Amino acid sequence: MKFTVKNFNGNLTDLMRSAGYHFDGADQKTKELKFYRSLSGGLFPRFHIYLQQDRSKAELFISLHIDQKAPVYQGVAAHGGDYEGEVVEKEGEHLRSILTPANPDLQSSFDDF
C-alpha cells in the first residue's frame, strides 16, 4: 500500500514512535527512512514502512507492507510480503490517524500513489 500525506507539519520520529514503530535505518541508495512494527513478540511478522519526506512541500510518501518472514538467503532482500489486504488497509488508516494533526485547520490530506 502506498499513500502520500500532504501538509505534514510534525515531528516524524516522535509520531512514528507513538504509532508503535521502530526506526530501522535509511536506505543508502534511495535515502528512504525505514520503520517497522512487530505483529507478535518476535521480529516477524511485522509491518514495514519505507518513507520519504519532502520538507519543501511538507509531504510524506509512505510505502507500507507486511513482512511475513525473514529473507531466506543472506544478503538478499526478498521476503514473503503482503502489500494489500484488510490488515494492511487497517494499518494504513491507523497511520493516517497518527500523522494527522489534532488541529483541524492544519489537517493533513492523503492521496494514494
Side-chain angles (χ1 to χ4, degrees):
M1 165 184 223
K2 294 182 179 184
F3 60 94
T4 302
V5 178
K6 295 183 179 181
N7 304 316
F8 180 77
N9 187 3
N11 183 314
L12 182 59
T13 305
D14 287 346
L15 288 171
M16 293 303 292
R17 189 176 297 125
S18 71
Y21 282 81
H22 302 276
F23 183 65
D24 194 27
D27 187 287
Q28 296 296 325
K29 293 179 184 177
T30 65
K31 306 299 184 205
E32 292 174 308
L33 301 177
K34 300 182 290 183
F35 295 88
Y36 73 92
R37 181 169 78 86
S38 178
L39 293 169
S40 65
L43 190 55
F44 295 94
R46 66 184 182 176
F47 288 112
H48 199 194
I49 291 176
Y50 286 87
L51 188 148
Q52 285 186 322
Q53 185 173 13
D54 183 344
R55 290 190 171 121
S56 66
K57 296 181 182 177
E59 292 181 330
L60 299 176
F61 302 97
I62 298 171
S63 177
L64 167 68
H65 65 275
I66 298 175
D67 290 334
Q68 295 292 355
K69 60 182 182 170
V72 178
Y73 302 105
Q74 187 174 7
V76 177
H79 56 71
D82 295 331
Y83 294 81
E84 299 176 345
E86 185 178 346
V87 174
V88 176
E89 293 290 329
K90 285 183 179 181
E91 184 63 13
E93 290 301 320
H94 170 71
L95 284 170
R96 289 173 174 158
S97 70
I98 296 293
L99 296 172
T100 301
N103 182 343
D105 295 333
L106 299 175
Q107 203 151 38
S108 299
S109 61
F110 302 94
D111 292 326
D112 291 333
F113 69 94

